[in-house]
Structures are given as structure tokens and as C-alpha cells.
């Protein structure tokens, strides 16, 4: 969870109770100390908040403690744009929260909710498997066509090449029926059928065919990287394009050569 907390322009006591609770619940606390001026020391803030506070200022950037002003750990306009947050989202956020001289606490889920409404219907879907394991399923298919969006038919379909091996991130239990999303149903490594059927009561999971896989990295909001396997079709994207990895999250293609994405939100 990410919070943006306004602490006023006075001293350490200007924060609201809701803001204080948010800070105490966080693992990392950054103080934007480049454009704001506070008449209180960092030590006083840490004492009353009970948390170590990292100053996010020019020195932090110059010492390479973060990657730059667009580091996803920061709440700067550059960072938000790099993550795929639209300018319209900030406009809608201003209308929803309002402008005030008082301290304001903004839960990241509010930002994510607004942005999701704006991009959901025009964002293509793809498969990405983190921490992949290989499972084998016997079948006779050579390729499958899957939709690029669950409801927007204008996006059409893409074709996946399939063999008997698939990358998955979900555990596969014996004597249980599964469905690879948009691909087929199976049980105990044996193909059952291709079309979806509610009667099978299959657990739906996603997978990336080994034959159609490439290496993918995702830079998360806390600065860590998630590595895994994605579809080759991801290579057809343009840098800056936002997509949704099925059952996981939205993200923005940051570096096409490295196949590096930046996490947007769930």
C-alpha cells in the first residue's frame, strides 16, 4: 500500500491522526524535501512518527540512492508518468479530493482506481508468469488464438504457438481440473477439451507456452524487480505502452530492448 500524506507547513504536530496512522503502518517513509520547506528537523519527525524517514531531495538523486526523479519509489510527476499514470488521473484526483490548505492524505488505491477506469477498456492483455515452473500437458494443438481484450473486440486476437510444456506460477495439484486461460482444460497432465465449460469446475490459471516465451522483468513500486516469462507478442509493443498482465497487474513498457516493464497498479 502506498500513501501520499500531507504534513502541513509548520511542525511535526501538523499531521492528521489518519496521516499518522498511515505512516506508522508503512515499511518505508520518504519525505519530499526538495520543493517543500519545513521548520522542523528530521529527527523530530522520526521521534513522533516512530519511523526512520528518508529525505527525498536533490542529494538523494545525486548520490544515486534512487535511479532519478522518475524512480517508481518516488511520488513525482516523472515517476507517475513512468508508471503509466495518466495526466487525466491527476485532474480527476484533484476534483475528487479537492484543493485545501489543510494536510491531505491520499491512499494510492484512489489513484489506482481512477487510472484503472481510464485505461481498462483500451489496454491489451498478455500473459506473464513470475517465478516460473514448467508443467507438461499432453495435447495435439499446435497453436491457439486468444483475445487481446476480454470485451473490446476492436483489439482482435493474437496467436500463441504451443507445445507440451508451459510456464506456470500456480501450484498444480493431482486429481484436480485446471484451465489454462483462453487455451484448454486439463487434469493430471492430460488434455480434456479446448472450450471453456462451467460444468468442469476447472480452476482457471494462466500460462505461457515454453515455445512462445521470452524473458521479462518488471520494476515494482518498491524498487525490486520481478523476473519471469512472457509471450513473444510483447515484442510488438511500443515503448511507453501500458498493458495488463492477466491475473496480475497493469504495467508500462519502459525499455523494449531489455523487455523491462514498470508496475502501474493492480
Amino acid at each position: 500500500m502506498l500513501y501520499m500524506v500531507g504534513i502541513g507547513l509548520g511542525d511535526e504536530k501538523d499531521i492528521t491522526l489518519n496521516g499518522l496512522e498511515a505512516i506508522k503502518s508503512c515499511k518505508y517513509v520518504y519525505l519530499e524535501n526538495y520543493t517543500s520547506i519545513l521548520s522542523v528537523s528530521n529527527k523530530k519527525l522520526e521521534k513522533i512518527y516512530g519511523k526512520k524517514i528518508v529525505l527525498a531531495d536533490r542529494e538523494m538523486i545525486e548520490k544515486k540512492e534512487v535511479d532519478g526523479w522518475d524512480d517508481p519509489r518516488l511520488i513525482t510527476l516523472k515517476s507517475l508518468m513512468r508508471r503509466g499514470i495518466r495526466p487525466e488521473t491527476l485532474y480527476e484526483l484533484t476534483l475528487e479530493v479537492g484543493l485545501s490548505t489543510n494536510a491531505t492524505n491520499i491512499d494510492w488505491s484512489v489513484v489506482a482506481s481512477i487510472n484503472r477506469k481510464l485505461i481498462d477498456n483500451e489496454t491489451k492483455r498478455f500473459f506473464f508468469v513470475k517465478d516460473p515452473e514448467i508443467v507438461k500437458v499432453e495435447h495435439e494443438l499446435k497453436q491457439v488464438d486468444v483475445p487481446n481484450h476480454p470485451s473490446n473486440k476492436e483489439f482482435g486476437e493474437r496467436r500463441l504457438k504451443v507445445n507440451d510444456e508451459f510456464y506456470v506460477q500456480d501450484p498444480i495439484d493431482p486429481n484436480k481440473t485446471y484451465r489454462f486461460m483462453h487455451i484448454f482444460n486439463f487434469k493430471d497432465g492430460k488434455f480434456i477439451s479446448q472450450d471453456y465449460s462451467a460444468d468442469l469446475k476447472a480452476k482457471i490459471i494462466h500460462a505461457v507456452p515454453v515455445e512462445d516465451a521470452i524473458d521479462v522483468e518488471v520494476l515494482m513500486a518498491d524498487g525490486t524487480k520481478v523476473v519471469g516469462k512472457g509471450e513473444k507478442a510483447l515484442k510488438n509493443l511500443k515503448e511507453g505502452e501500458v498493458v495488463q498482465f492477466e491475473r496480475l497487474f497493469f504495467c508500462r513498457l519502459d525499455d523494449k530492448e531489455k523487455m523491462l516493464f514498470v508496475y502501474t497498479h493492480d
Side-chain angles (χ1 to χ4, degrees):
M1 184 68 72
L2 175 66
Y3 296 97
M4 292 177 280
V5 180
I7 61 173
L9 296 175
D11 56 28
E12 70 275 16
K13 297 179 181 179
D14 276 355
I15 193 171
T16 64
L17 290 176
N18 285 336
L20 182 59
E21 289 179 1
I23 288 178
K24 288 182 178 294
S25 69
C26 291
K27 185 176 181 181
Y28 302 104
V29 180
Y30 292 89
L31 175 64
E32 194 280 293
N33 199 44
Y34 181 59
T35 61
S36 61
I37 300 175
L38 295 176
S39 57
V40 62
S41 70
N42 199 39
K43 289 185 178 180
K44 280 189 176 181
L45 293 177
E46 291 180 337
K47 184 176 181 180
I48 195 169
Y49 300 160
K51 289 284 184 177
K52 177 176 175 56
I53 297 176
V54 179
L55 293 180
D57 54 13
R58 177 179 290 277
E59 185 177 355
M60 183 184 191
I61 303 296
E62 292 175 348
K63 286 185 176 180
K64 305 295 183 181
E65 294 177 11
V66 291
D67 292 336
W69 292 113
D70 62 352
D71 190 296
R73 289 170 288 184
L74 302 178
I75 303 299
T76 62
L77 288 177
K78 282 190 174 183
S79 171
L80 294 175
M81 296 303 104
R82 187 184 182 195
R83 288 180 61 172
I85 302 299
R86 289 194 172 180
E88 301 96 309
T89 296
L90 303 182
Y91 174 75
E92 293 294 334
L93 180 66
T94 303
L95 293 180
E96 183 168 326
V97 176
L99 295 176
S100 172
T101 56
N102 298 322
T104 302
N105 307 321
I106 303 175
D107 191 315
W108 176 257
S109 63
V110 177
V111 179
S113 177
I114 296 172
N115 199 69
R116 191 181 300 110
K117 289 178 182 178
L118 291 172
I119 69 174
D120 185 67
N121 194 51
E122 52 190 73
T123 302
K124 294 179 182 178
R125 271 56 168 175
F126 293 92
F127 293 133
F128 167 74
V129 172
K130 58 182 180 179
D131 302 322
E133 299 286 343
I134 293 179
V135 298
K136 187 173 183 177
V137 180
E138 297 178 2
H139 65 90
E140 296 182 354
L141 299 176
K142 300 298 182 182
Q143 59 191 27
V144 292
D145 294 326
V146 301
N148 288 321
H149 194 280
S151 58
N152 191 339
K153 304 303 180 183
E154 294 182 2
F155 281 134
E157 297 179 329
R158 65 191 184 278
R159 179 160 292 177
L160 295 179
K161 293 182 180 180
V162 295
N163 54 15
D164 290 347
E165 294 184 319
F166 297 83
Y167 289 112
V168 299
Q169 65 185 48
D170 299 270
I172 305 296
D173 298 323
N175 301 314
K176 188 171 183 178
T177 303
Y178 293 89
R179 175 171 178 77
F180 285 151
M181 182 181 290
H182 305 311
I183 302 179
F184 59 62
N185 310 297
F186 69 97
K187 180 179 180 180
D188 293 330
K190 303 291 185 181
F191 174 88
I192 297 176
S193 59
Q194 186 171 1
D195 295 334
Y196 171 78
S197 173
D199 295 336
L200 289 175
K201 297 180 180 180
K203 180 179 179 180
I204 299 178
I205 62 176
H206 67 286
V208 175
V210 170
E211 188 176 347
D212 200 84
I214 60 173
D215 293 325
V216 172
E217 291 184 327
V218 182
L219 180 60
M220 303 302 290
D222 62 359
T224 60
K225 284 185 179 179
V226 173
V227 297
K229 298 291 184 178
E231 307 172 35
K232 288 181 181 177
L234 291 170
K235 290 185 175 181
N236 297 326
L237 297 175
K238 298 178 181 178
E239 283 191 3
E241 191 168 350
V242 176
V243 300
Q244 184 188 44
F245 286 154
E246 297 268 23
R247 300 179 64 232
L248 293 173
F249 44 71
F250 290 86
C251 55
R252 174 186 169 276
L253 179 56
D254 192 63
D255 188 321
K256 186 171 182 177
E257 184 177 350
K258 297 179 180 179
M259 271 292 116
L260 172 66
F261 291 78
V262 178
Y263 169 84
T264 304
H265 48 64
D266 293 344

